[in-house]
Each structure stands twice: as structure tokens, then as C-alpha cells.
Amino acid sequence: MVHISSSLIEVKEFDSEVSQIHKTERIMKSTIREHIQLHSTHELIIEEVVYTENQNSLVPPFNVTEAERIQWFREKLPEIKIFKSNNSSQEYHNRVLEFFDKKCEVKFFMTWISPVQSFTRREFIAIESLFKAHPCGCLMILSESLDSKKGYGILKPLIDRRFKVTAVKPDLAFLVKNTPAETWFQEMKNGYKDPGEIPLAQNLSNLLRLLVLYKYGGIYLDTDFIVLKSFIGLRNSIGAQSIDAVSRNWTRLNNAVLVFDREHPVLFKFIEEFAATFDGNKWGHNGPYLVSRVAQKLSGRPGFNFTVLPPMAFYPVNWNKIGGFFKKPGNKADSRWVKAKLLQLSGDTYGVHLWNKQSSRIRIEEGSVMARLISDQCVICEYS
């Protein structure tokens, strides 16, 4: 039984979102990353850092044919470490089991398939908020780049304060074993499949979150999610991003937050759908649209118990309105709005998805909703 009221997913509703995201990605061409530094004024200053080509090996060339892209991918495969296995990745399973001991009140996962240099203050703030709400929680970040000396240095301020966080290189071959994605992985690993024009890292992250929850159970969070209150008590839940204004039925789900038990049948169906319908050319097809498609199919079917939470739970502000959370109040009316919004978020909201594709270049202004949330949810609170 699914604890929701379902409606057909209207893809047209989101055409403008997809178009804008594709436009932004093409302009940036993945050669520009952002380094965010929080100053004493509580403002985020964004600096541009250009990375070398080998740090963007998962980013396909634009304006090429499918055959040309597959050939490019085959040539790049030796550089893509996540498809390789070594002694470290073979020990992955043991590392996971040892890390999540009985002292872990809540089990969290994140993914980071990007260079260690691109892990910025924005992502660190998200982790701080997780531990503010779950001081006895445990967080494992699936990341080859953060599972390193530099990565440890980034996480050390939290580790020194006895928060349980670690980064582990994921063993993708182990995670896909005995799942519907095993054949997909072998075909991709051998260069037989088109990775598509969407950066492969994005789609690998979409798959990894499903696999790790299926294998171990727990809570997956995107790294651009500010946690506001404890997730304890949530089970087998996914959040609606939008609902129909009239029927109040959900129109779209999102995969930025997933809460599922180990080997939950819904996760199996998500993985099955990923492998069967993979398309690397359509933004969201293997992520938010995937979970929406599967949830729609499973509606009313016995044996698939899960809950769809309303948008206020994880997505209290939509991607096209997130900018308002970053602006300081310009007058008394604005100040009242900030106060009212913070009061609203203190109710049924577990956290706020920041929609990094739209918000990462926006300055967080003093007195804004975001500045207040960061101040309230930090655990180190020492920014320079």
C-alpha cells in the first residue's frame, strides 16, 4: 500500500526547468567550479576556479554524435576510477559494516563524484546541519576523491568534535551485484553504452544512492540539503516536489532525499527502472523523473509500502523561487516575510533543498532566510 494520492505526471510542466538547466550547463561547460567562503558578515562570496581537463573526465563533449560520444567514452574509461577495483574498494563492504556500529542513532549516506577541490563551504554547511539535528548520527560519503588525505582534512574539524563522519570510495561492482543494474554496469564499464550528454557523475550518483540504500538501508541526502530537524521516526519515505493546486495530488517526486529500509522492494523497482530505461541525454530522466515514474506504476499495488511526504517536508521552496531565501530584507514587509518563513519552516519541514544548480552562484546576504538557517544549524560556526 502506498500512502499517497496519485496523479499522472505531467512532463510538460517541467519543460522550462529542463531547458534552463541545460542552458546553464552548456554555458558553464563544466570548466568552472565554485569555491565558497563564508565571511564574518555571513555572506557567501563566490570565486571561480578553473579545473584541468582530467578532473572533468566524466563530462562528455557537446555537439557530437552518439557514435562519437561512445568513442570518446571508451578512450576516457581508463581515467574513470569509479569503474575500477583495487584493494581499497574490495574492502568497501567491511568498512561500511565497521563504520555503522550500534552507536549510530541514524545512518546517513551522501555521494560526491567530483574533485575534492570542488567540495566547498556550501557542502560543509549541509553536513554541519545534519549533525546539529543528529549529534549521534553517522554519515558516510561515497566518494573516491574525498576518501583521501585532502578529504580527511576537510572532514577533520567535525571528526575532532567527535561527530562520526567518513568518506569511502564506493565499490560499484560490489553494489550492483545481484541487482537489476549489474548488466548495465558491465555494458557501461566495457564502453558499449552511450553515457549521454549529461555528465556521467550525475547519473552515477542517481544510481549509487539507490544501490547503497538497497544494500544497507538508511537515509540518503544530497549535499545541498540543509537539515532542520531530526529524521528519527521516518521510514520508507520519499518527498513530493510539487502537487496539483486543485486535487492536491503529487505531480512530481524528487530523489534528493530518500529514506528506506534495506532491500525494500521499491528500491529494487527504482534500480530496475534505471537499468531498463537509462538515458543520459535527458536531464532528470534517471533521477527525479525515474522515482516519479515508478511510484506512479506502484500506486495501489500490494507489497510496496512507502509514504510520499508533502513538499513542505523536504522541498518547501521550489527551484525557481530559491533565490528569495538568499536575499536580505529590504524593508519591514520583507523582514516580516523572513520571520514568517522561518516560523513556517520550524513546523513540518525536515530540511531545505537548496537547488544548487540555481542557487550556488547566489550570495547569501546577512539577515536572509538562508543566513538565519546557517547560523541556527551550524555546529562549528567558525567561518573566515
Side-chain angles (χ1 to χ4, degrees), residues 134-286:
H134 309 88
C136 295
C138 300
L139 168 64
M140 177 171 285
I141 306 172
L142 304 180
S143 173
E144 190 273 337
S145 64
L146 288 174
D147 188 3
S148 63
K149 185 176 180 179
K150 288 184 178 179
Y152 179 81
I154 291 174
L155 301 176
K156 190 175 184 297
L158 290 164
I159 296 171
D160 288 346
R161 289 165 173 80
R162 300 186 181 278
F163 294 114
K164 197 166 184 182
V165 56
T166 191
V168 176
K169 177 183 176 180
D171 186 346
L172 193 52
F174 168 78
L175 288 171
V176 300
K177 192 173 180 60
N178 298 323
T179 76
E182 191 168 8
T183 300
W184 176 91
F185 171 75
Q186 291 300 329
E187 291 177 348
M188 187 65 74
K189 181 180 179 180
N190 293 324
Y192 297 150
K193 293 189 74 69
D194 176 17
E197 64 179 19
I198 304 296
L200 183 58
Q202 180 175 317
N203 284 318
L204 287 175
S205 176
N206 284 327
L207 177 60
L208 269 175
R209 68 191 68 183
L210 303 177
L211 292 171
V212 75
L213 290 184
Y214 186 73
K215 221 75 168 181
Y216 302 106
I219 300 170
Y220 169 82
L221 297 178
D222 270 1
T223 55
D224 60 343
F225 187 85
I226 302 296
V227 178
L228 300 184
K229 71 175 183 178
S230 174
F231 280 58
I232 293 176
L234 286 183
R235 284 189 63 194
N236 303 321
S237 302
I238 188 169
Q241 178 182 325
S242 59
I243 58 176
D244 183 86
V246 177
S247 69
R248 310 305 293 175
N249 295 332
W250 65 267
T251 55
R252 182 179 177 183
L253 308 182
N254 199 293
N255 64 338
V257 181
L258 299 169
V259 185
F260 281 98
D261 294 342
R262 177 175 176 267
E263 296 184 350
H264 195 283
V266 171
L267 290 172
F268 185 90
K269 288 295 184 180
F270 286 160
I271 297 169
E272 187 176 61
E273 179 76 4
F274 183 98
T277 68
F278 177 81
D279 189 337
N281 295 310
K282 297 178 181 178
W283 182 88
H285 177 82
N286 311 301

